[in-house]
């Protein structure tokens, strides 16, 4: 994730899932779906941020539950950082 302040009262999400990192459209769409779902659950805690989610090589081979757990921990970590600052 890449995070920057946006000066607004709401958070915005950008998705950059490269075909080079995740070859199949099904895999790219699964990652996007999980990222959007997590963002919807945590967006009230992330007000004023622009967040870009990018996939790494290992994301393509992950099963759905592992992907959900990884994204959830990232969202919680980001929310904690925002809360502390």
């Amino acid at each position: 994730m890449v995070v920057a302040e946006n000066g607004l009262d709401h958070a915005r999400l950008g998705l950059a899932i490269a075909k080079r990192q995740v070859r199949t459209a099904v895999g790219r769409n699964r990652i996007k779906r999980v990222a959007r779902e997590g963002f919807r659950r945590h967006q009230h805690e992330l007000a004023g941020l622009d967040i870009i989610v990018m996939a790494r090589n290992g994301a393509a081979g992950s099963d759905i539950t592992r992907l959900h757990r990884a994204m959830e921990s990232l969202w919680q970590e980001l929310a904690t950082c925002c809360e502390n600052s």
Side-chain angles (χ1 to χ4, degrees):
M1 287 188 193
V2 177
V3 181
E5 290 186 32
N6 65 15
L8 302 173
D9 62 341
H10 60 278
R12 297 186 295 185
L13 176 67
L15 301 167
I17 313 301
K19 190 173 185 179
R20 185 176 181 185
Q21 300 296 327
V22 184
R23 293 275 180 208
T24 65
V26 171
R28 289 191 302 275
N29 290 335
R30 179 178 353 137
I31 292 168
K32 290 176 189 179
R33 186 174 59 247
V34 171
R36 284 187 194 111
E37 183 180 324
F39 178 75
R40 277 188 222 110
R41 283 195 304 250
H42 295 279
Q43 68 184 358
H44 63 282
E45 301 165 359
L46 306 170
L49 295 177
D50 284 340
I51 302 162
I52 301 172
V53 175
M54 296 181 288
R56 290 188 175 175
N57 286 337
S62 298
D63 63 345
I64 194 74
T65 56
R66 187 174 178 194
L67 191 58
H68 273 286
R69 276 188 264 135
M71 288 298 292
E72 185 62 29
S73 69
L74 286 172
W75 290 119
Q76 288 177 354
E77 183 180 330
L78 185 58
T80 303
C81 287
C82 292
E83 189 177 279
N84 293 337
S85 57

